[in-house]
Amino acid sequence: MSIPATRSRENTRARLLEAAEQLFAEVGLDGASVEAVCERAGFTRGAFYSNFESKDELFLMLAGRVAETRVNAVRERVTEITAEGGLVPGCDPTDLLQKVMDSGSDDRMGVMLMSEIRIRALRDAQFGAAYLAQEREMVGSIAQIVTDIVDAGKLQLRVPAEVAGRILMIVWEGMTVRGAMAGQDDAQLRRAGSEELGRLVDLLLV
């Protein structure tokens, strides 16, 4: 009985997250009320609060899903490049970065969501602490990818992998935000900042 119950709970959470994502795209973070999310997903407030403590928790989870999708896309592309023989000692790190970034998963909705959530984090210390904790996990994932690339390519970093991961993430996110402001489409956003990241990689490597 526990397995079907667990699966049902996961399905409910997934539907609520999907509804929240749709509403955010239409009306923004403030406009996506708990009542509106429940109505869109076809659930009661009771179902919502049996899965999430608050709207803040829901949107933090949604932000985490956006971040995880980004990192997984990069990880999968690195795995593909490695299998194709593109990640070997002596490879061009800037060219490698371009190949990785071209397969990114950034889109305008994701950029807007993350931007609004950061504004919310600036205004609320408790929410901000939860957001930073989630961000540290993302940095750790990026740092592991950086370590794998450095080891496979026999490269050497000037700074610890975690520091490199945080710097890369900040530049990556900053450039996608500016790309969204400039009206770039999803394909352009996926390549936003590649040139700047390439320069940064040159600075981070010995």
Side-chain angles (χ1 to χ4, degrees):
M1 292 294 292
S2 60
I3 294 177
T6 299
R7 186 177 298 117
S8 176
R9 181 179 176 83
E10 290 174 352
N11 289 339
T12 299
R13 290 169 73 89
R15 285 173 58 184
L16 287 166
L17 284 165
E18 183 179 355
E21 185 173 5
Q22 291 172 357
L23 280 167
F24 168 80
E26 296 170 8
V27 298
L29 193 62
D30 290 336
S33 66
V34 170
E35 291 76 11
V37 170
C38 290
E39 183 177 355
R40 177 67 61 91
F43 292 115
T44 63
R45 285 172 58 89
F48 180 93
Y49 286 110
S50 68
N51 285 276
F52 303 101
E53 291 186 3
S54 63
K55 191 175 86 167
D56 281 352
E57 184 185 9
L58 168 71
F59 278 99
L60 269 177
M61 184 170 289
L62 189 55
R65 191 163 72 168
V66 170
E68 184 178 1
T69 298
R70 285 177 170 178
V71 173
N72 285 343
V74 170
R75 185 181 291 112
E76 289 172 7
R77 183 58 179 142
V78 170
T79 299
E80 290 174 1
I81 293 172
T82 302
E84 294 166 358
L87 185 53
V88 294
C91 63
D92 183 341
T94 302
D95 179 62
L96 174 64
L97 176 68
Q98 183 66 60
K99 291 178 180 177
V100 170
M101 295 306 296
D102 281 349
S103 66
S105 62
D106 289 302
D107 57 39
R108 187 176 182 83
M109 193 284 294
V111 173
M112 291 174 63
L113 172 65
M114 297 301 286
S115 296
E116 288 207 31
I117 283 178
R118 291 188 195 100
I119 292 173
R120 176 82 176 86
L122 283 169
R123 291 173 175 161
D124 185 305
Q126 184 175 356
F127 186 87
Y131 174 81
L132 288 174
Q134 185 182 82
E135 186 180 77
R136 284 193 291 272
E137 293 183 9
M138 183 179 178
V139 170
S141 297
I142 296 173
Q144 185 58 58
I145 294 172
V146 170
T147 298
D148 292 343
I149 292 174
V150 166
D151 290 346
K154 304 299 182 184
L155 304 170
Q156 187 175 350
L157 286 169
R158 296 181 185 274
V159 296
E162 185 169 344
V163 174
R166 181 173 297 279
I167 293 172
L168 288 167
M169 182 191 71
I170 290 171
V171 173
W172 179 8
E173 292 184 340
M175 294 312 300
T176 55
V177 167
R178 284 156 182 78
M181 289 178 182
Q184 294 179 348
D185 60 26
D186 291 352
Q188 291 171 318
L189 281 176
R190 283 191 283 272
R191 294 188 295 274
S194 291
E195 183 176 349
E196 287 77 6
L197 285 173
R199 294 191 184 114
L200 181 56
V201 167
D202 286 339
L203 293 173
L204 292 174
L205 293 174
V206 175

